[in-house]
Amino acid sequence: MTDFFKGIPQIRYEGEAATSDFAFRHYNPDEVVAGKRMEDHLRFAVAWWHSFAWPGGDPFGGQTFDRPWFGDTMAAAKMKADVAFEMFDILQAPFFCFHDADIRPEGASFAETTRNLEEVVDYIGEKMQGSSTKLLWGTANLFSHRRFMSGAATNPDPEVFAWSAATVKTCMDATLKLGGENYVLWGGREGYETLLNTDLTREAEQAGRFLQMVVDYKHKIGFKGAILIEPKPQEPSKHQYDYDVATVYGFLKRFGLEHEVKVNIEQGHAILAGHSFEHELALAASLGLFGSIDMNRNDYQSGWDTDQFPDSVPEMARAYYEVLRAGGFTTGGTNFDAKIRRQSLDPEDLILAHVGAMDVCARALKAAAALLEDGALEANRAARYAGWDKPENRAMLSSDLASIEARVRAEGIDPQPKSGRQERLENLWNRFV
Ligand code: XLS
Ligand code: NI
Ligand code: NI
């Protein structure tokens, strides 16, 4: 035991009458919502990088957090793992997620870095034996080290491509070993700063081949989880190739991988792409790509990926409504890809950020489930398209322009506009949220 969280109790569901800050008021893991335990719906995960590896820096200033495990040694990496599992226990977190660089110190060579990774992975594996927290996903950090400054798979230098491929292999091995349910690829620097030095065509071919190799390796090692791409339009690159869900779908189709790879959708990335979170979720579901979510909230004014913890029940309800309509998570979950603010120095800030966010998500899930169970919204949607249920109308979709013209003339078709009822539906929505 470390003494980092000393004095902080395990968080339990106490209902809305709770008086302590250290209690869940809405997240009750065992409560059944829409036929499933809340814990099994939401599948919360803690992100190793923001909670344990991030020093609190921003572009104008460095480290603000003072953590006893900061440092580049194996001993520090193990202390970090100890503290992580203490936090998982306090929160009763069902899952965690990690990048290789979050959990191990970088070595002097590829071989040494990999040895460090394997040693920490074994250490984490032992800690998981005594814990109920599982691995939602693993991933490789192919963006922080300077070698990746011009990209990983899309780098003009084939040696960086090689390094990246080798690193992903070791991270997939680590994810398999720890029983991970997904493997994520966020193309942090797969994009460009200026077209003046960039060959778009070559970079896309490299990225496509790289992803095919990831899929091949998944099958080779018998990894049963999902491979997920995490779209993001910019930051750190000026323009990133995996811009949004629609762009990723085009990329997957181009390389024949649309049945092999799904998406991990992040709230803040959706906002940066000029979409709503629920748009990205609904589109992914409609394309058969919905995998998992990175839950956070972006600042609507700053234009940065601010990775704040979610605090808005109405917004999250829109998101979970789409998750429920998509049939819920299978291998995916709700990963808090969120960090406390750099002034939030205390260990309890880290705990309370998660407690609040878990409660917000739970309230949102309950509201979304109630709305779906009520059925009025879906009945309205179905009624709006009901004309298409008639066989003569459906037949148009396999007809041709000339036959349809003949039909319009013969039947004297004369469409009459109908209300979209948006405000009425918004009122309905707000009765539940
Ligand atoms: C960064 C991304 C990153 C991924 C994992 O913006 O959200 O944290 O989730 O590499
Ligand atoms: Ni992000
Ligand atoms: Ni993310």
Side-chain angles (χ1 to χ4, degrees):
M1 274 295 271
T2 74
D3 63 359
F4 186 69
F5 290 117
K6 77 170 169 295
I8 299 182
Q10 198 175 65
I11 314 295
R12 299 183 189 285
Y13 172 71
E14 294 177 20
E16 290 191 58
T19 51
S20 165
D21 288 342
F22 295 91
F24 293 122
R25 287 166 167 74
H26 303 275
Y27 176 57
N28 181 6
D30 290 321
E31 185 180 325
V32 174
V33 173
K36 229 163 51 175
R37 292 174 61 252
M38 240 192 244
E39 182 176 24
D40 301 333
H41 266 295
L42 292 162
R43 294 167 60 83
F44 288 129
V46 171
W48 206 285
W49 52 103
H50 287 314
S51 288
F52 311 115
W54 182 59
D58 72 8
F60 302 92
Q63 177 173 348
T64 56
F65 299 147
D66 185 18
R67 308 294 197 219
W69 61 86
F70 280 173
D72 250 355
T73 63
M74 286 300 281
K78 288 180 183 173
M79 187 200 282
K80 181 160 51 169
D82 293 342
V83 170
F85 276 84
E86 285 165 18
M87 183 161 109
F88 302 160
D89 184 58
I90 289 172
L91 293 170
Q92 290 292 289
F95 293 99
F96 69 98
C97 300
F98 73 95
H99 302 80
D100 53 351
D102 310 330
I103 62 170
R104 55 94 184 113
E106 178 100 15
S109 63
F110 182 84
E112 190 186 326
T113 299
T114 305
R115 268 199 309 279
N116 290 351
L117 178 69
E118 287 169 352
E119 191 178 327
V120 181
V121 163
D122 286 341
Y123 190 72
I124 290 175
E126 282 163 30
K127 303 206 72 87
M128 288 173 75
Q129 301 281 306
S131 159
S132 59
T133 305
K134 296 183 289 180
L135 176 60
L136 187 65
W137 48 263
T139 188
N141 178 329
L142 303 179
F143 45 88
S144 293
H145 194 281
R146 63 194 288 273
R147 73 173 69 86
F148 302 116
M149 68 180 185
S150 313
T154 64
N155 202 294
D157 180 352
E159 292 203 351
V160 180
F161 182 95
W163 187 287
S164 305
T167 301
V168 167
K169 182 217 170 264
T170 64
C171 290
M172 290 177 75
D173 290 342
T175 302
L176 176 73
K177 193 161 195 187
L178 295 177
E181 302 199 15
N182 307 270
Y183 184 82
V184 164
L185 297 122
W186 169 60
R189 294 190 192 272
E190 312 292 22
Y192 61 81
E193 292 300 322
T194 171
L195 268 182
L196 298 179
N197 64 12
T198 302
D199 184 337
L200 281 174
T201 311
R202 296 182 84 114
E203 296 203 0
E205 275 159 14
Q206 287 171 216
R209 186 62 203 127
F210 193 95
L211 188 58
Q212 277 160 347
M213 289 194 279
V214 169
V215 168
D216 289 347
Y217 191 65
K218 161 191 156 149
H219 292 303
K220 182 173 171 203
I221 61 177
F223 178 68
K224 296 283 174 273
I227 303 288
L228 306 174
I229 288 190
E230 184 175 322
K232 185 176 183 180
Q234 69 264 335
E235 196 203 307
S237 301
K238 149 81 180 122
H239 180 101
Q240 290 186 209
Y241 295 131
D242 298 328
Y243 196 95
D244 58 3
V245 170
T247 310
V248 168
Y249 182 68
F251 173 78
L252 294 176
K253 283 290 266 191
R254 173 171 171 189
F255 293 98
L257 293 169
E258 71 275 20
H259 302 301
E260 294 281 3
V261 178
K262 294 188 162 74
V263 286
N264 180 40
I265 302 171
E266 178 164 322
Q267 197 273 359
H269 300 181
I271 304 308
L272 284 176
H275 301 302
S276 65
F277 192 22
E278 59 270 25
H279 165 85
E280 290 289 82
L281 294 166
L283 183 61
S286 128
L287 295 169
L289 292 187
F290 174 63
S292 196
I293 64 185
D294 267 9
M295 181 57 89
N296 54 26
R297 90 175 191 267
N298 216 344
D299 186 284
Y300 288 104
Q301 287 80 43
S302 74
W304 289 54
D305 189 6
T306 55
D307 286 336
Q308 288 162 264
F309 280 85
D311 73 341
S312 163
V313 176
E315 285 190 18
M316 292 309 116
R318 292 280 170 113
Y320 282 112
Y321 192 76
E322 297 306 328
V323 171
L324 290 175
R325 281 188 73 216
F329 294 120
T330 51
T331 63
T334 302
N335 170 45
F336 290 114
D337 194 350
K339 56 186 184 231
I340 49 179
R341 300 300 88 188
R342 69 197 293 270
Q343 299 176 46
S344 302
L345 302 179
D346 299 341
E348 62 180 43
D349 292 324
L350 210 42
I351 302 294
L352 293 174
H354 286 87
V355 170
M358 288 159 86
D359 262 352
V360 165
C361 292
R363 284 173 76 180
L365 175 79
K366 283 191 270 191
L371 199 69
L372 205 57
E373 266 165 24
D374 169 77
L377 197 63
E378 291 315 308
N380 182 81
R381 196 194 311 265
R384 191 158 180 247
Y385 293 88
W388 286 101
D389 295 341
K390 297 196 178 121
E392 63 273 29
N393 290 334
R394 282 205 75 79
M396 279 196 293
L397 296 179
S398 44
S399 184
D400 58 85
L401 295 185
S403 313
I404 294 176
E405 188 210 12
R407 184 185 170 210
V408 169
R409 289 173 186 280
E411 295 178 20
I413 285 179
D414 180 15
Q416 298 303 311
K418 295 182 192 70
S419 172
R421 297 177 159 179
Q422 180 168 336
E423 295 75 15
R424 182 176 176 151
L425 298 172
E426 286 167 354
N427 295 351
L428 169 66
W429 181 275
N430 284 321
R431 291 208 286 276
F432 287 84
V433 178

